[in-house]
Amino acid sequence: MPPVGLNTYVSVPPKSSSPPDYLVSLLVAAIPISSCPRIYDYTDKYKTDKPGKEIEENARVWNVYLDEAESYDADFLQGFRNIIDGLLASLFSAVVTTFVAQTYQALQPDNAQITAALLFETNQLLRAAGNSTTLNAIPAASLHPGSHTYSSIDVWVNGLFFASLALSLSTALLSVPAKQWIQ
């Protein structure tokens, strides 16, 4: 028998030309080799059917079909399992992205708080001008445009979220080609 490639089909010629052998050889010939890791002679593995019993429930054709279908289904389900692993990594990345989007806002300057501090200072300066108080006696606003209003804990939490996001995305992206290469 010539070497069998991935896109060729296995065909085991029957030893006799009875109808059940012909049906089984058609069944085996219709299954691609990439989905069927076992190559064997079905006439040796399964006993010959008695005349007239070729299409009954326990006929040879059904035993061959069940074995081949089981092998094909196992490969098919393994492919789905590999896809689900990648989807779970991507789902984790999506959840971390949601956390990053929410906590990243804490690193932005709080414009309302800065505006309130500057308005309070302006109000004090106007009162000082009306009371003939020296302007140097009025303390400067603690917040000004460009000052940060976040704590070091916010920076650490966001740093950890960004590191987690980068690692999970790189893992998800690298696992897909790795699994395809393994298969």
Side-chain angles (χ1 to χ4, degrees):
M1 178 181 279
V4 178
L6 288 179
N7 292 327
T8 60
Y9 297 92
V10 176
S11 178
V12 179
K15 291 182 180 177
S16 66
S17 60
S18 64
D21 289 337
Y22 178 72
L23 289 175
V24 172
S25 67
L26 284 178
L27 175 67
V28 172
I31 299 173
I33 186 66
S34 61
S35 66
C36 164
R38 298 182 301 244
I39 299 175
Y40 56 83
D41 185 5
Y42 66 89
T43 57
D44 292 338
K45 185 173 180 180
Y46 303 103
K47 64 180 182 169
T48 307
D49 295 325
K50 295 179 183 177
K53 306 282 183 181
E54 294 91 0
I55 58 170
E56 289 192 0
E57 188 175 322
N58 292 325
R60 181 194 309 187
V61 67
W62 301 120
N63 291 329
V64 172
Y65 171 76
L66 289 175
D67 282 350
E68 296 299 327
E70 180 182 337
S71 174
Y72 178 80
D73 289 345
D75 291 343
F76 192 69
L77 288 177
Q78 185 61 35
F80 276 135
R81 286 186 194 110
N82 292 339
I83 290 171
I84 288 175
D85 290 342
L87 288 176
L88 288 177
S90 300
L91 179 64
F92 178 74
S93 299
V95 170
V96 171
T97 302
T98 305
F99 285 132
V100 166
Q102 291 299 317
T103 59
Y104 183 71
Q105 295 172 0
L107 296 179
Q108 301 297 323
D110 188 2
N111 292 327
Q113 189 176 6
I114 292 171
T115 303
L118 291 175
L119 283 174
F120 182 71
E121 181 185 8
T122 304
N123 188 16
Q124 285 182 335
L125 289 172
L126 288 173
R127 282 188 182 182
N131 291 339
S132 46
T133 309
T134 62
L135 295 178
N136 293 336
I138 304 298
S142 59
L143 297 175
H144 52 81
S147 64
H148 61 65
T149 57
Y150 51 85
S151 66
S152 62
I153 292 175
D154 292 332
V155 174
W156 274 99
V157 167
N158 276 287
L160 291 174
F161 276 149
F162 275 111
S164 174
L165 179 62
L167 289 174
S168 66
L169 283 176
S170 62
T171 301
L173 289 175
L174 292 175
S175 68
V176 171
K179 286 186 178 187
Q180 288 177 351
W181 180 73
I182 289 172
Q183 289 180 359

